[in-house]
Amino acid sequence: MEKTLILFTHPALEKSKVHRALKEGVENLEGVTFHDLYEEYPDFYIDVQREQALLLEHSKIIWQHPLYWYSVPALMKEWIDVVLQHGWAYGSDGTVLEGKTVKSVISTGGSEKAYCPQGHNYYPVEEFLRPLERTAVLCRMEYLEPMIFYGAFQLDGDALSSAVDRYRKYLQTS
Amino acid sequence: MAFESLFVSAFVYLLTAVICVPLAKRLGLSSVLGYLVAGFVIGPFVLGLVGEEGADVMHFAEFGVVLMLFLIGLELRPALLWRLRGPILGLGGAQVGITMVAIGAIGMSFGLGWQVALAVGMALALSSTAIVLQSLQEKNLTKSSGGQSAFSVLLFQDIAVIPMLAVFPMLATLAPAVSNDHRVEEVGPVQDWLAHQPGWMATLLVFAAVIFIILAGKYLFQPILNIVAKTRVRETFVALALLLVIGIALLMSMLGVSPALGTFLAGVVLADSQYRHELEADLEPFKGLLLGVFFISVGASIDFSLIAAKPNLVAALVVGLMVLKAAILFGLGTLTKLLLDQRMLFSLSLAQGGEFAFVLLGFGVAEGVVGGEVAQMLIASVALSMVLTPLVLILEEKVIRPRFGTRESDDREPDPMEEDAPVILAGFGRFGNFVGRLLRSQKIEMTVIDSDPDHVDFLRRIGIKAFYGDVNRHDLLEAAGAYKAKILIITLSNQEDTDSLIETAQKHFPHLKLMVRALERPHQYKTLEAGVDYCIHQHAGSATELGKAALVLLGVRAHRAERVTKAFRKHDLESVRLAAKKTHKDKKAYISHVRERLNDMERQFEEDQQDRQTPIDQAWDTQSVKNDILKK
């Protein structure tokens, strides 16, 4: 079975109902390594060698985080900066990640309607994820269609548990 | 000669205790029963090792009860006592009132005059504080709701003795007995004077004494404890603790008030003091020993010739007394909605007569309230009921409780008698204060123990729960709530104390996570080797911070200085862990290992100069990108 690495970044998980539920729902699934970066590197001092080894051990990568200012939380950006090094992840000699898949699992504060030309964010979420898409592709990985949980502040009760189910099912069947 | 006989008695008492208590424990019985049986064995009717002096010994050992009430008071903060006022007055009042009337009515139906019947009712309504609390504590049931209710009732009974003693003389129908009971002989000038004063005067004096104890607790005992604690001579502190209790007991008995009640009050007043745990730990052994002697003397005092003469009557009295009291308590337990198993515990634990019955009946004989023969018979019955109590509790535990479905889970109610903060911080000096302040900023409850009275004083002034004491005593650790705490943080400045505290904690409280301040490198190895959960060199944080600041001052870019420092710290930690594993196995290997790690460190610094010092820095190394672009 192909192994999945969830790279999870959330600087204040204690305040996030949705990501806590998602985390609890998937962290113990078989074949899934749940890697909580803010918990591992609270001082932003990322262990590059360890991160690179983890990437090599898994064929499916998931970037799970809330969408902050149309982008990733700061530590996720730091991770991209320091782990995906030239000559290893990209560049003419950087071929080790070739063939892996990357998928973004993202929560947004705004509703789905906000992410269209009539909404106040104007563009669909996919447009804001272009940098991530290109990052994956530059590293010779396939960037899959993202899984997006809209309106996270209102997500509750049954809606939340069905969101968790969706995530679990995806991980178990893909 | 007097010394010799004292030693002989002490030898006999101690020897019996040492033999009987472990035996009782081995058989799964309570230590109280062990003591009682021990007393019975050495008493006049079996071995006859102790005889007439038994009663004197009992009076002496009653001081154990006084100490116990003081210690109970220490665990009851005034606020908590106030919260318990409902059960104490309601439940306690109902128990004493109903039982008194019921027993009185039965007495009258058997032809006793109403005065005698009432006096007997009063004496028998009371239960044995000593036996009940000791048994509950031993079984860890003081925190259960049944145990709490029992405690409330006992407290009310202790208070109720005062008016009872006052009322007794008014019930006299016989000529006062010319008895040689020493209680009568011992009437001193104060009591003599008191006896000739009007009733309101005595009441006034009692109130004055109570107010005195409350005020003295705050404004007199506290500063004295402070001064003595500062001398750091432990036995002086013990002496002072005993002095306090004895002094209050003396004052109260002079005024004709139960000394136990006075010391209980003093205990409550001192419950908020920082010396609470130290006092507890110091007095605990005295209390235990004296209570033991008290139980032995109860066992020894049972008059078997009387029982042998009228076995049926005594048996009927004992069984009748216990069944009646238990039934009334059961009813009260039902009214207060105790769960069935707790109701059982509550009613069975309090079903016996108590030591106050001895006092009241003895006093009653002296005052001509109760006839000598009736009193003797009742005293024998009460003593037997006390002996039966531990047996009944065993029956309750082994047979009755398992059959009922409505069990109260063990952790349902938090124990209000103990510290229950999740963190115990040992040492609040220049290191510990940082730890404490950080935790407190996150509103984390902690109990601080420190051996410097000035620290403790200061901490309490700013509202931190701090206690004075020698952290290395496991009883103090227990008093500070070690059974309930999750983490013990050790930030002492003395290596020996640190090591022995680690050992004590690991031995007695293996569930505690240990976090330790190591004083130097070898100490850190040793501490890690001992298997603590977290250990940091006391200068690891501050020294590397300073190094980093120096780098910045020398012109290194701040973020780079930060990275280098982090790399250094990580490397350092790994090296300590590796070295810790090696130290104990081989001294030589350790030395070469250190050398190897030093070389390693040098290598790192060399790499620094080549601008490749940490893996992260490669991420910002643009050389490889440039080469790639130039190739195209």
Side-chain angles (χ1 to χ4, degrees):
Chain A
M1 189 181 164
E2 292 188 327
K3 284 164 74 185
T4 305
L5 174 65
I6 301 177
L7 293 165
F8 171 64
T9 42
H10 197 307
L13 185 59
E14 65 277 9
K15 292 180 181 167
S16 166
K17 196 173 49 199
V18 171
H19 281 280
R20 267 207 314 271
L22 292 175
K23 175 175 183 276
E24 275 165 29
V26 305
E27 65 188 339
N28 294 319
L29 290 180
E30 210 183 311
V32 169
T33 306
F34 192 91
H35 195 46
D36 185 344
L37 291 176
Y38 270 97
E39 195 65 13
E40 297 291 333
Y41 308 115
D43 59 357
F44 276 55
Y45 188 70
I46 293 172
D47 184 339
V48 175
Q49 279 144 355
R50 177 173 170 221
E51 291 304 309
Q52 291 181 340
L54 272 172
L55 282 174
L56 295 181
E57 283 166 25
H58 296 78
S59 57
K60 295 190 291 185
I61 316 299
I62 284 178
W63 291 333
Q64 180 191 334
H65 57 82
L67 198 64
Y68 280 177
W69 282 110
Y70 310 112
S71 183
V72 295
L75 182 56
M76 186 64 219
K77 180 62 167 63
E78 178 79 359
W79 183 92
I80 292 171
D81 286 352
V82 302
V83 178
L84 303 178
Q85 293 183 358
H86 184 264
W88 184 82
Y90 72 103
S92 54
D93 302 326
T95 58
V96 292
L97 300 177
E98 194 164 352
K100 296 182 191 295
T101 64
V102 178
K103 184 184 182 80
S104 286
V105 173
I106 283 173
S107 66
T108 69
S111 67
E112 192 162 7
K113 278 186 218 141
Y115 289 92
C116 69
Q118 289 76 41
H120 63 265
N121 291 318
Y122 196 79
Y123 296 109
V125 172
E126 285 78 359
E127 291 303 315
F128 299 112
L129 299 182
R130 291 290 178 223
L132 295 182
E133 180 193 313
R134 293 315 302 163
T135 300
V137 172
L138 189 66
C139 296
R140 300 163 209 256
M141 297 189 283
E142 186 189 354
Y143 189 71
L144 304 176
E145 187 193 339
M147 182 180 284
I148 302 163
F149 300 107
Y150 292 101
F153 301 121
Q154 282 89 44
L155 213 50
D156 215 340
D158 288 345
L160 181 55
S161 27
S162 77
V164 174
D165 277 348
R166 202 171 120 211
Y167 192 13
R168 278 175 66 96
K169 278 222 183 72
Y170 169 77
L171 289 171
Q172 284 168 325
T173 55
S174 68
Chain B
M1 186 60 206
F3 272 120
E4 211 166 281
S5 82
L6 176 70
F7 279 138
V8 169
S9 295
F11 183 79
V12 170
Y13 275 91
L14 294 175
L15 181 68
T16 355
V18 168
I19 293 173
C20 289
V21 172
L23 210 63
K25 278 280 178 193
R26 178 61 64 84
L27 294 173
L29 309 172
S30 76
S31 69
V32 179
L33 191 62
Y35 283 123
L36 289 168
V37 171
F40 164 58
V41 171
I42 60 171
F45 298 94
V46 181
L47 296 180
L49 291 175
V50 293
E52 287 307 303
E53 85 279 9
D56 289 333
V57 171
M58 197 194 291
H59 290 314
F60 169 68
E62 269 168 18
F63 185 59
V65 183
V66 171
L67 273 176
M68 180 170 71
L69 264 293
F70 180 70
L71 291 174
I72 290 169
L74 273 183
E75 294 191 346
L76 266 181
R77 291 202 188 80
L80 183 65
L81 188 64
W82 185 242
R83 233 187 301 145
L84 282 176
R85 70 193 185 279
I88 293 172
L89 292 178
L91 205 55
Q95 187 272 335
V96 173
I98 296 172
T99 313
M100 193 170 82
V101 170
I103 292 176
I106 292 171
M108 280 169 76
S109 74
F110 277 91
L112 293 177
W114 71 267
Q115 295 96 332
V116 184
L118 183 61
V120 171
M122 285 182 190
L124 297 187
L126 307 175
S127 313
S128 170
T129 308
I131 287 187
V132 178
L133 287 187
Q134 187 71 16
S135 303
L136 290 180
Q137 249 166 35
E138 213 168 86
K139 292 180 194 298
N140 232 342
L141 289 170
T142 39
K143 58 182 133 179
S144 65
S145 50
Q148 287 273 310
S149 302
F151 175 75
S152 303
V153 170
L154 289 169
L155 205 57
F156 181 84
Q157 293 180 351
D158 285 346
I159 301 168
V161 175
I162 305 164
M164 285 182 183
L165 280 169
V167 168
F168 252 55
M170 298 175 214
L171 297 175
T173 49
L174 314 161
V178 186
S179 148
N180 54 0
D181 188 302
H182 79 290
R183 271 168 194 281
V184 181
E185 285 169 16
E186 261 182 18
V187 168
V190 180
Q191 278 102 325
D192 197 41
W193 177 80
L194 257 182
H196 295 97
Q197 298 302 312
W200 59 265
M201 187 65 176
T203 319
L204 206 67
L205 276 173
V206 171
F207 272 108
V210 166
I211 290 168
F212 167 74
I213 288 176
I214 292 173
L215 291 180
K218 263 206 136 56
Y219 301 107
L220 182 66
F221 302 161
Q222 192 75 28
I224 297 177
L225 285 167
N226 243 321
I227 294 166
V228 174
K230 266 182 204 158
T231 64
R232 304 206 182 197
V233 181
R234 191 170 156 216
E235 54 274 21
T236 319
F237 197 87
V238 178
L240 178 63
L242 283 172
L243 179 71
L244 269 182
V245 177
I246 292 175
I248 293 164
L250 267 179
L251 174 74
M252 292 315 254
S253 32
M254 249 190 320
L255 295 174
V257 181
S258 147
L261 199 71
T263 49
F264 170 75
L265 205 61
V268 173
V269 176
L270 286 174
D272 277 329
S273 137
Q274 66 263 48
Y275 298 110
R276 166 180 167 205
H277 291 321
E278 185 77 0
L279 285 169
E280 252 172 41
D282 280 342
L283 293 178
E284 188 68 40
F286 291 100
K287 177 211 98 176
L289 211 54
L290 282 169
L291 268 189
V293 174
F294 174 73
F295 293 139
I296 292 178
S297 56
V298 169
S301 72
I302 298 175
D303 188 344
F304 280 89
S305 58
L306 205 64
I307 297 171
K310 293 179 178 170
N312 293 338
L313 180 59
V314 173
L317 276 174
V318 173
V319 174
L321 174 69
M322 295 186 79
V323 169
L324 178 71
K325 292 187 82 167
I328 292 171
L329 288 160
F330 193 83
L332 290 172
T334 314
L335 280 180
T336 52
K337 301 198 172 63
L338 281 178
L339 291 177
L340 191 55
D341 66 317
Q342 295 299 313
R343 223 184 302 162
M344 279 288 179
L345 175 70
F346 172 62
S347 43
L348 292 178
S349 65
L350 290 173
Q352 75 297 105
E355 51 276 10
F356 282 128
F358 303 150
V359 176
L360 281 171
L361 290 170
F363 185 60
V365 172
E367 292 285 326
V369 183
V370 192
E373 202 178 326
V374 176
Q376 278 307 313
M377 193 62 80
L378 290 175
I379 285 176
S381 309
V382 166
L384 274 181
S385 75
M386 286 163 83
V387 176
L388 284 177
T389 300
L391 285 172
V392 170
L393 285 178
I394 290 165
L395 194 73
E396 189 269 338
E397 184 183 36
K398 299 266 150 73
V399 182
I400 300 177
R401 208 182 318 164
R403 297 192 183 199
F404 289 106
T406 59
R407 287 235 219 136
E408 186 177 82
S409 78
D410 286 340
D411 51 5
R412 205 186 82 173
E413 256 182 59
D415 178 5
M417 289 192 174
E418 230 180 74
E419 298 303 331
D420 48 13
V423 177
I424 300 175
L425 180 54
F428 205 90
R430 53 195 154 188
F431 191 99
N433 85 75
F434 283 97
V435 181
R437 275 166 45 208
L438 178 60
L439 292 183
R440 194 170 144 85
S441 76
Q442 295 306 304
K443 300 206 163 38
I444 288 173
E445 285 287 313
M446 62 189 151
T447 308
V448 178
I449 313 176
D450 197 287
S451 57
D452 183 333
D454 290 330
H455 279 166
V456 174
D457 243 14
F458 163 74
L459 285 173
R460 292 178 76 91
R461 262 208 309 283
I462 60 170
I464 292 183
K465 226 178 344 171
F467 296 98
Y468 164 78
D470 175 359
V471 286
N472 275 313
R473 292 166 44 196
H474 100 269
D475 45 358
L476 191 67
L477 216 49
E478 185 183 335
Y483 281 117
K484 289 230 175 131
K486 293 192 182 79
I487 303 177
L488 170 63
I489 304 177
I490 306 174
T491 58
L492 305 173
S493 53
N494 174 313
Q495 188 169 330
E496 251 169 64
D497 285 349
T498 305
D499 293 346
S500 85
L501 182 53
I502 293 172
E503 210 182 304
T504 309
Q506 286 178 332
K507 190 165 142 208
H508 296 282
F509 312 101
H511 72 281
L512 278 179
K513 294 244 180 273
L514 299 181
M515 307 184 79
V516 183
R517 160 198 189 181
L519 300 171
E520 50 170 11
R521 260 309 155 90
H523 187 216
Q524 196 176 6
Y525 299 147
K526 194 174 165 194
T527 309
L528 283 169
E529 194 60 21
V532 302
D533 298 273
Y534 179 88
C535 166
I536 187 166
H537 188 291
Q538 59 174 341
H539 301 315
S542 46
T544 48
E545 276 303 299
L546 193 142
K548 184 178 77 185
L551 287 176
V552 173
L553 212 60
L554 290 169
V556 177
R557 294 268 300 165
H559 189 242
R560 188 174 136 83
E562 184 73 36
R563 284 179 342 246
V564 183
T565 309
K566 275 172 182 160
F568 175 82
R569 250 184 229 166
K570 199 175 151 218
H571 180 87
D572 188 56
L573 201 67
E574 278 160 14
S575 116
V576 167
R577 289 224 178 92
L578 270 171
K581 274 187 201 147
K582 293 193 179 181
T583 34
H584 281 256
K585 282 166 201 137
D586 185 16
K587 262 268 159 12
K588 252 188 208 160
Y590 161 58
I591 292 164
S592 74
H593 173 76
V594 167
R595 210 163 279 149
E596 183 191 311
R597 297 300 296 191
L598 272 177
N599 291 340
D600 192 23
M601 188 103 63
E602 273 174 35
R603 206 159 45 236
Q604 262 218 344
F605 276 105
E606 275 165 25
E607 281 170 1
D608 269 4
Q609 292 178 344
Q610 293 162 17
D611 217 352
R612 293 196 290 107
Q613 79 281 32
T614 69
I616 281 186
D617 286 302
Q618 288 172 33
W620 293 299
D621 176 15
T622 48
Q623 196 54 50
S624 125
V625 185
K626 277 185 215 153
N627 294 345
D628 228 21
I629 291 169
L630 288 174
K631 257 196 288 182
K632 281 173 190 167

